Amino acid sequence: MKVLGEFRNRMQEQKRRIAEASKADKEHQQALEGLKAALESAEIAYKQMEADLRESDSNLLNMTKQLDNANAAQKVAAEALEAANMEKRRLQEEAKSRDEEISSLRRELANAAKGKKAAEEGREEVETRVEGDRSKAGQC
């Protein structure tokens, strides 16, 4: 009987251990399922990050192209501005030269007007003398 009691005790202990192992196995299975779900979620997040990175790379490439285009346009604009400034300086120099020419022509015109006036006064004086001489000659 004693052997039978010991056998029962061992059997109950084995059942208890099996129940504990079964409970631990279930807990491990649940933890494993949780880890699998976390892994799947992490994989989805990783794929989304890869897609976001590709989109960011594409956006960066587009922005770089736009920047290159803007730099080229700025270079063309700077060259056009430089050419316009050179043309402006040339036109300013030409205008200054023409202003000097106009001033010179005005001085010549003023001198010519003075000469004309002096010539008219001289002609009038000569005509007056000639008339005076004729009058004297007619009296003689």
Side-chain angles (χ1 to χ4, degrees):
M1 270 301 215
K2 189 176 180 186
V3 172
L4 190 58
E6 285 179 18
F7 180 72
R8 279 187 197 156
N9 285 339
R10 279 193 229 162
M11 287 297 276
Q12 285 177 351
E13 182 64 27
Q14 288 296 327
K15 283 182 182 180
R16 185 184 62 77
R17 285 184 185 169
I18 289 173
E20 286 177 0
S22 176
K23 183 179 175 185
D25 186 47
K26 285 180 184 178
E27 289 174 357
H28 282 87
Q29 286 296 329
Q30 288 175 347
L32 184 59
E33 291 298 320
L35 289 174
K36 284 181 182 179
L39 179 61
E40 287 175 6
S41 177
E43 286 175 343
I44 290 170
Y46 178 77
K47 287 178 182 179
Q48 183 61 46
M49 285 183 204
E50 282 182 325
D52 291 346
L53 181 60
R54 282 190 300 276
E55 184 179 348
S56 293
D57 285 344
S58 176
N59 289 341
L60 180 61
L61 182 61
N62 287 335
M63 292 168 115
T64 302
K65 286 179 183 178
Q66 289 174 351
L67 182 60
D68 289 343
N69 290 340
N71 286 340
Q74 183 180 11
K75 183 178 178 182
V76 168
E79 290 171 356
L81 179 60
E82 185 178 338
N85 284 336
M86 288 175 58
E87 180 66 9
K88 180 182 175 183
R89 283 190 295 274
R90 186 190 68 76
L91 291 172
Q92 285 173 336
E93 289 172 6
E94 187 177 324
K96 183 180 177 183
S97 174
R98 294 224 174 145
D99 283 343
E100 290 170 359
E101 185 179 345
I102 289 170
S103 293
S104 175
L105 290 172
R106 284 184 177 157
R107 284 190 299 274
E108 287 179 27
L109 184 59
N111 289 338
K114 286 178 186 177
K116 181 180 176 186
K117 185 177 179 184
E120 286 177 4
E121 288 174 356
R123 184 179 49 100
E124 289 174 3
E125 186 179 318
V126 169
E127 286 177 356
T128 305
R129 282 187 192 167
V130 169
E131 283 182 25
D133 288 344
R134 283 185 191 161
S135 315
K136 286 183 186 178
Q139 290 176 357
C140 289

